[in-house]
Amino acid sequence: MNNIISTFDITKEALPDLLLKIRQGKIQIPDLQRSFCWSDDLVTQLLASVSLGWPVGSILLLETNINTSFRPRLVEGVVLEKAPPPAQLILDGQQRTTTLFMTLFSENPTLIRDKRSQKISERWYYIDIRKALDPSVERETTIISFNKTRIKPGFGEGTTIDCSAPDREYELLLFPVNSVFSYADWRQQYSRYWKYNPTKLDIIDRFEKEVIKRFEHYQIPVILLKPELPKPAICRVFEKTNTQGTELNFFDLATACFASDDFSLREDWETREKQLKKFRVLSSVREIDFLSCVTLVATYYRRQKALKLAHPPQKLPVVACGRGEVLSLTVEEYQTFVDRVIGGYEESARFLHGQRIIAAEDIPYQIQLVALAAVLAIIGFPQGKIRSRLEQWFWCGACASMYTSWHEVRAARDMLEVPEWLLRDGPVPSTISDAIFNSNRLLGVQRRYGSVYKSVSALLRRHGAIDLATGEALSDVNYFNDPIESHHIFPTAYCKRLGIAASHYNCLVNRTPLSKLSNQKIGGRAPSQYLKTIESQGIPKQRIDTMLRSHLIEPETLWADDFEAFISTRSQGLLELISQAMGQKSNVGSLIDIRNRQSQTDGKVVRISNG
């Protein structure tokens, strides 16, 4: 408990002292912090609260030392010829502290962002002294913002407010808030301007007592984190406290952790991303996916090194790609394994091409691609028995939806088990041994773009499925980037006319990948009708039957418009296709007999045979 308590202190900091440290560069912000983005009304609200002595929340600071790996930058508005190493970094409260520095401590206008247009503009802030001394006036309404000219147009003739010169400020009794901490100088010039008029001096005395002193004595609550706090814990705190605007992912946090004068994770990723996007199937790889893959490989080799040193099992490093492991990754580890991971992704593109997965949107699970690339980074290009085994592992994971939940845990487990199985004939990975494809999913899956449909579509392309309209193999159509979509074999309109339940005609068995042109030829007609249309266009019936069988469709069921027979025979064909891909028939259950299942649709009883 003592260790936990010692990782942070709770204290207060006088506002002028805090802002002075910011101007001196002693307090800075991590480079990944978002830029200042407050609007005019938020700035006004903050100034009003401080002027009344009201709390505006605490700020979170991190003490730095030589081991701190966050790249710092000066708070916006601070100008120094050479920034010193910071003593503290702002982890939470950047927007508030930047606002207070720009408005109260800077000689330059405050930068604000318009809520609607998102445009940046420059503003000067003033307090209307007379209104501020009136207790019936809400404080926010006493604070006026001017553009960079310090001239504010009014709503009527002669109502323009001009503070472009100090004399105009004194005349209008408008106090510039950036003079709060140099109030004595401003007061002296004000007094001279009014020739020490007792009434004017009385006003300014009251203003100093009721407003200026609030700023001078304002205390900011500070939570000060010690540098001994583990880096992952600091990143976690930083992420949780920065909830406004764009969410920070662990790549952003790792970028800050890796940052140094001679290395930028983000710049390195931009280079790696270009390498990956040479392959269409890798075009959707995100920076967090890539970093997770590097972490899997790095932690794998950490463990292998410990095994060689005969460390006891309970002390072996974990193989994982969760947030904590990613944030514990060192720059040296990243640089050591990043090229190997690029190679793993390139081999993945080649492997997926062999499975007729050409486009990124055809990948059943992006996280499985992370695991695949990590495995290939270890084993290199798979050949012979190793390739057959890798295909079995891939299709078990995809068809049996092994990556649906706890996917990071699944990826880590595969990283432990798959290389051992492939390279050293270790135990069969749990992704294979635990994989069970419930045959009911053929009837229950309704999603056109879910993992099961993507898996079956890819397997059909690998099987040699031919497009009905073009006569080309679907894998070739897909390769040349022509759109391939999920289409009904028994069209929706036709099924509705027969009273077939939507749950039946929308099931995976009644869907197959086809081109847009094929879908146009199918239309909403009975299968026998659209097949005759295709035949009338010069394609022999024998060729049409061959194309249908390439989709595991028994042609006679379509020529006869027999929905029940079609569902039954195609279901068995799809089960055999999935069984062969998963490599273990015992893991694919037989299709349930729903011959007696009845569906009530528009008062009609429909029997669906799937024996």
Side-chain angles (χ1 to χ4, degrees):
M1 182 63 70
N2 290 335
N3 290 334
I4 296 175
I5 294 175
S6 65
T7 59
F8 69 93
D9 289 327
I10 300 176
T11 183
K12 290 183 179 180
E13 184 90 29
L15 179 59
D17 294 340
L18 178 75
L19 299 181
L20 178 61
K21 291 178 182 178
I22 290 174
R23 185 166 67 184
Q24 294 171 339
K26 294 179 180 179
I27 295 178
Q28 299 183 30
I29 59 177
D31 191 37
L32 85 162
Q33 278 271 35
R34 63 181 67 88
S35 297
F36 180 69
C37 59
W38 267 22
S39 58
D40 183 61
D41 58 334
L42 290 176
V43 175
T44 299
Q45 290 170 22
L46 180 65
L47 290 173
S49 294
V50 175
S51 73
L52 292 165
W54 292 353
V56 296
S58 63
I59 64 171
L60 182 66
L61 300 180
L62 169 68
E63 285 188 347
T64 62
N65 59 22
I66 58 174
N67 297 318
T68 301
S69 55
F70 287 96
R71 175 189 288 177
R73 79 168 189 262
L74 295 171
V75 171
E76 250 171 291
V78 178
V79 179
L80 295 173
E81 289 187 9
K82 185 177 180 180
Q88 297 168 337
L89 294 175
I90 303 171
L91 297 189
D92 183 42
Q94 176 213 353
Q95 303 294 329
R96 281 168 286 147
T97 51
T98 302
T99 297
L100 292 172
F101 179 80
M102 283 186 174
T103 55
L104 302 176
F105 232 71
S106 173
E107 297 178 357
N108 298 311
T110 301
L111 302 178
I112 64 164
R113 186 185 300 273
D114 185 84
K115 284 184 176 181
R116 293 185 178 180
S117 67
Q118 294 298 301
K119 291 183 178 179
I120 302 294
S121 61
E122 298 178 337
R123 311 293 288 180
W124 294 101
Y125 289 87
Y126 284 79
I127 301 177
D128 186 318
I129 296 175
R130 291 190 182 91
K131 290 183 178 179
L133 295 177
D134 185 344
S136 66
V137 176
E138 188 174 352
R139 182 56 56 88
E140 285 183 27
T141 65
T142 72
I143 297 175
I144 307 170
S145 67
F146 290 76
N147 62 24
K148 61 182 179 180
T149 66
R150 303 199 195 211
I151 299 175
K152 190 177 184 69
F155 294 103
E157 186 177 352
T159 60
T160 298
I161 306 175
D162 184 353
C163 285
S164 58
D167 286 357
R168 299 296 303 145
E169 299 172 0
Y170 309 144
E171 176 69 29
L172 297 172
L173 267 68
L174 294 177
F175 176 76
V177 296
N178 69 333
S179 297
V180 161
F181 298 115
S182 57
Y183 179 74
D185 292 337
W186 188 89
R187 175 193 169 93
Q188 185 178 34
Q189 297 302 319
Y190 167 91
S191 300
R192 288 177 180 173
Y193 175 83
W194 287 108
K195 298 180 180 179
Y196 301 96
N197 181 298
T199 303
K200 300 298 182 181
L201 292 180
D202 180 63
I203 292 174
I204 207 70
D205 285 341
R206 288 179 55 208
F207 181 70
E208 178 180 3
K209 180 180 179 181
E210 297 180 22
V211 178
I212 297 299
K213 292 299 181 183
R214 300 278 191 184
F215 284 100
E216 292 177 347
H217 297 292
Y218 195 86
Q219 299 282 314
I220 297 280
V222 174
I223 301 173
L224 187 63
L225 300 182
K226 299 294 185 180
E228 294 79 15
L229 194 66
K231 182 171 64 177
I234 294 172
C235 290
R236 188 67 169 169
V237 170
F238 180 71
E239 177 194 25
K240 289 299 182 183
T241 55
N242 283 267
T243 56
Q244 184 180 12
T246 304
E247 183 180 355
L248 298 167
N249 59 45
F250 59 69
F251 182 86
D252 297 319
L253 301 173
T255 298
C257 293
F258 282 13
S260 61
D261 293 337
D262 58 351
F263 184 78
S264 168
L265 179 61
R266 195 171 298 280
E267 290 175 4
D268 188 75
W269 161 245
E270 290 174 358
T271 301
R272 308 295 178 179
E273 186 180 28
K274 291 177 182 177
Q275 292 177 268
L276 297 179
K277 286 193 173 180
K278 293 177 182 177
F279 304 91
R280 184 179 164 200
V281 74
L282 304 180
S283 61
S284 63
V285 175
R286 303 170 300 170
E287 64 270 35
I288 57 175
D289 299 327
F290 186 75
L291 196 55
S292 294
C293 190
V294 176
T295 303
L296 275 180
V297 174
T299 54
Y300 172 85
Y301 279 108
R302 278 186 209 163
R303 188 178 181 89
Q304 293 301 308
K305 182 178 180 181
L307 285 169
K308 289 180 180 179
L309 296 174
H311 287 185
Q314 64 272 20
K315 292 188 178 181
L316 290 175
V318 298
V319 175
C321 60
R323 183 180 302 272
E325 289 76 29
V326 170
L327 296 178
S328 295
L329 189 71
T330 66
V331 175
E332 291 73 24
E333 286 177 317
Y334 177 85
Q335 292 175 322
T336 298
F337 297 112
V338 65
D339 288 328
R340 188 187 291 259
V341 168
I342 285 290
Y345 270 106
E346 291 174 343
E347 292 297 346
S348 296
R350 186 174 180 178
F351 172 83
L352 292 172
H353 187 276
Q355 309 310 305
R356 299 301 183 262
I357 297 176
I358 309 299
E361 56 268 23
D362 296 329
I363 299 173
Y365 293 103
Q366 285 295 326
I367 185 63
Q368 192 176 16
L369 174 58
V370 172
L372 174 64
V375 168
L376 289 174
I378 301 298
I379 70 171
F381 178 67
Q383 302 180 58
K385 182 180 74 171
I386 291 179
R387 182 179 180 85
S388 297
R389 286 185 167 186
L390 189 65
E391 289 178 0
Q392 182 186 4
W393 163 79
F394 179 82
W395 290 116
C396 281
C399 294
S401 303
M402 300 300 287
Y403 276 83
T404 299
S405 59
W406 298 96
H407 50 265
E408 289 179 355
V409 176
R410 174 63 58 188
R413 184 176 297 175
D414 279 336
M415 197 61 187
L416 278 173
E417 298 174 349
V418 175
E420 187 71 17
W421 180 53
L422 297 178
L423 300 177
R424 291 177 282 275
D425 284 324
V428 174
S430 56
T431 294
I432 295 176
S433 61
D434 295 345
I436 298 176
F437 182 82
N438 188 331
S439 57
N440 294 337
R441 300 197 72 186
L442 290 177
L443 305 175
V445 169
Q446 305 285 312
R447 294 181 60 198
R448 291 184 294 169
Y449 304 112
S451 62
V452 176
Y453 175 78
K454 288 181 179 180
S455 299
V456 171
S457 295
L459 288 173
L460 285 170
R461 292 194 296 271
R462 194 176 72 156
H463 176 70
I466 300 170
D467 186 57
L468 297 181
T470 65
E472 297 178 297
L474 282 174
S475 58
D476 293 334
V477 177
N478 202 20
Y479 181 81
F480 288 101
N481 209 19
D482 292 332
I484 297 294
E485 299 175 349
S486 167
H487 295 300
H488 291 81
I489 301 165
F490 275 74
T492 299
Y494 173 75
C495 291
K496 286 181 177 180
R497 288 197 298 271
L498 292 186
I500 298 174
S503 60
H504 295 151
Y505 65 70
N506 279 329
C507 72
L508 189 150
V509 181
N510 192 37
R511 292 181 180 275
T512 204
L514 291 171
S515 68
K516 183 178 180 180
L517 181 59
S518 292
N519 188 50
Q520 291 172 346
K521 289 189 175 184
I522 290 173
R525 299 175 295 164
S528 61
Q529 293 178 355
Y530 68 70
L531 291 179
K532 288 176 183 177
T533 299
I534 295 174
E535 185 180 19
S536 68
Q537 294 173 348
I539 300 177
K541 182 178 184 299
Q542 185 178 2
R543 175 60 176 165
I544 295 174
D545 290 352
T546 298
M547 291 191 291
L548 293 175
R549 288 192 181 98
S550 73
H551 288 263
L552 302 180
I553 299 169
E554 181 56 43
E556 291 307 315
T557 64
L558 262 61
W559 288 104
D561 296 330
D562 190 338
F563 185 76
E564 291 187 356
F566 158 74
I567 289 288
S568 177
T569 56
R570 191 168 195 246
S571 295
Q572 296 301 331
L574 291 176
L575 283 176
E576 290 178 9
L577 183 71
I578 294 168
S579 174
Q580 291 171 5
M582 293 176 64
Q584 295 183 17
K585 289 189 177 182
S586 61
N587 283 12
V588 180
S590 60
L591 190 69
I592 63 169
D593 184 353
I594 62 168
R595 184 174 280 108
N596 296 321
R597 179 183 295 177
Q598 296 181 345
S599 175
Q600 296 286 343
T601 306
D602 296 331
K604 298 180 181 180
V605 177
V606 179
R607 300 181 187 275
I608 307 297
S609 174
N610 284 279

